[in-house]
Amino acid sequence: MNPLKKKPRTHSIQEAPEKPEWLKVKLTFPDPGNNPVEIVRGSLEEKKLNTVCESASCPNLNHCWSRKTATYMLGGDICTRRCSYCDVASGRPKPLDKGEPQRVAESAIALGLKHVVLTAVNRDDLEDGGAAHFAETLVKIREGLPDCKIEFLVPDLKVKKESLEIIFQSKPDVFNHNVETVKRLFPEVAPQKRYDRSLEVLKIAGEQGFLTKSGLILGMGETIEEVKECMRDLAAVGVSLLTLGQYLQPTPTHLPVKEYISPEVFKELRIYGKSIGFKGVFSGPLVRSSYHADEQVSWAL
């Protein structure tokens, strides 16, 4: 079997139910010759870079790229873990591309970004989980964009002390790690992750003085009370910023959508999150972890 080929999912083929109107995204540009989406796409292709926007089939790609923002995905496009909701390919990754940090910086500088989100596939094949690669990319960006805010959206790094220390020493402006779902669903949704391990990563980062952020995707079978319980767990470990969005099934063989959550419920959860101490709660059907990330940070500063 080709180790770089996306492994088949174990879920039986099941088409998602028809999307409600609030999930249908339309975006037009008055000047096709000056399309910011194509400007961002051109920069990424020129530098041979990956984004979570494309690799994870994000529904907000056009919207975010139209604002000339993107979330750079480090470490290649093959993940060592295999979550049932995620469209990123899983398998054996290629060796790290040592020139990637410099190319990411060149892209960010060319686009004049003021807020950069750096994420990565899980690299459990590496001793540090890719932590040094994150740190080097941050250094390269700050050399050319000293005033740019840099947000790390990191895997759990198996809570390795040495890996986390590398991340902390690089001093990102935001430390983001997504818990993704409620505790009960972890074995089905993210079997190689651990709920308590995610909470521990966020707790340690908060204790180091970092602005911490996390996110949940809804509609995978959780109850609203379970969501609120998870929100309380995140607040208890000091998370300041929270994103809540709707799960969308990437392909018929991924985890099926169990429910489309209404905008009214997202509003209820936003109000609840503020009531239990979050500085900012960005909650809505199309919200993703990096959606308007620059605005999210401004809420907490």
Side-chain angles (χ1 to χ4, degrees):
M1 177 177 175
N2 181 352
L4 301 183
K5 185 178 180 181
K6 184 178 289 189
K7 295 179 181 178
R9 302 285 161 172
T10 55
H11 291 278
S12 59
I13 294 178
Q14 181 173 341
E15 294 284 356
E18 183 179 355
K19 292 179 183 177
E21 285 300 316
W22 65 74
L23 281 171
K24 296 178 181 178
V25 180
K26 296 179 181 179
L27 189 64
T28 58
F29 300 102
D31 181 5
N34 187 30
N35 184 340
V37 172
E38 293 308 316
I39 293 173
V40 174
R41 189 187 305 278
S43 175
L44 296 168
E45 290 179 351
E46 177 189 356
K47 301 299 180 181
K48 297 180 180 179
L49 300 172
N50 296 303
T51 66
V52 74
C53 322
E54 291 183 298
S55 295
S57 303
C58 179
N60 298 315
L61 183 150
N62 282 346
H63 178 83
C64 291
W65 286 15
S66 73
R67 300 174 73 244
K68 293 179 72 174
T69 63
T71 298
Y72 296 98
M73 189 170 74
L74 307 177
D77 59 356
I78 305 292
C79 186
T80 54
R81 301 187 192 178
R82 186 164 169 262
C83 299
S84 63
Y85 64 90
C86 183
D87 202 29
V88 176
S90 62
R92 184 186 305 165
K94 296 178 181 179
L96 281 179
D97 179 348
K98 300 299 184 181
E100 185 177 56
Q102 180 63 39
R103 296 200 310 277
V104 169
E106 290 171 356
S107 173
I109 292 167
L111 292 170
L113 302 184
K114 296 181 179 180
H115 187 107
V116 171
V117 180
L118 299 176
T119 191
V121 291
N122 285 280
R123 291 299 303 256
D124 295 327
D125 58 313
L126 302 175
E127 183 63 29
D128 70 350
H133 205 62
F134 269 97
E136 183 180 356
T137 307
L138 178 147
V139 169
K140 296 293 186 183
I141 294 172
R142 283 197 172 147
E143 286 175 354
L145 292 171
D147 296 325
C148 180
K149 298 291 184 185
I150 299 178
E151 177 175 333
F152 279 1
L153 173 51
V154 300
D156 61 32
L157 301 171
K158 294 189 174 179
V159 203
K160 287 186 177 179
K161 180 180 178 181
E162 297 80 4
S163 300
L164 290 174
E165 189 58 33
I166 292 170
I167 294 290
F168 298 153
Q169 287 180 357
S170 67
K171 298 183 179 179
D173 296 286
V174 183
F175 182 98
N176 185 356
H177 172 69
N178 287 332
V179 70
E180 305 289 16
T181 191
V182 301
K183 186 173 185 177
R184 175 177 60 84
L185 294 181
F186 258 64
E188 178 183 10
V189 172
Q192 293 164 288
K193 296 175 65 176
R194 300 291 181 270
Y195 182 79
D196 292 339
R197 190 161 68 193
S198 287
L199 292 179
E200 184 180 358
V201 167
L202 290 161
K203 182 175 185 292
I204 293 171
E207 290 172 344
Q208 293 291 318
F210 289 96
L211 176 63
T212 54
K213 173 180 170 182
S214 191
L216 283 161
I217 44 178
L218 310 185
M220 296 191 289
E222 71 290 328
T223 68
I224 295 304
E225 184 48 48
E226 285 177 319
V227 174
K228 290 182 176 180
E229 179 182 12
C230 181
M231 291 169 70
R232 292 192 295 270
D233 288 342
L234 291 168
V237 297
V239 173
S240 295
L241 296 172
L242 180 67
T243 59
L244 301 169
Q246 170 70 51
Y247 169 61
L248 298 174
Q249 184 181 14
T251 74
T253 57
H254 281 75
L255 181 77
V257 175
K258 302 295 176 62
E259 180 182 6
Y260 286 123
I261 310 301
S262 72
E264 290 74 24
V265 172
F266 278 108
K267 180 179 179 180
E268 173 193 339
L269 291 171
R270 181 171 64 250
I271 293 170
Y272 179 74
K274 293 289 288 184
S275 76
I276 61 174
F278 288 103
K279 292 181 179 179
V281 181
F282 212 26
S283 177
L286 289 172
V287 168
R288 294 297 182 269
S289 183
S290 303
Y291 186 64
H292 287 233
D294 52 342
E295 294 178 13
Q296 295 174 31
V297 173
S298 69
W299 296 350
L301 298 179

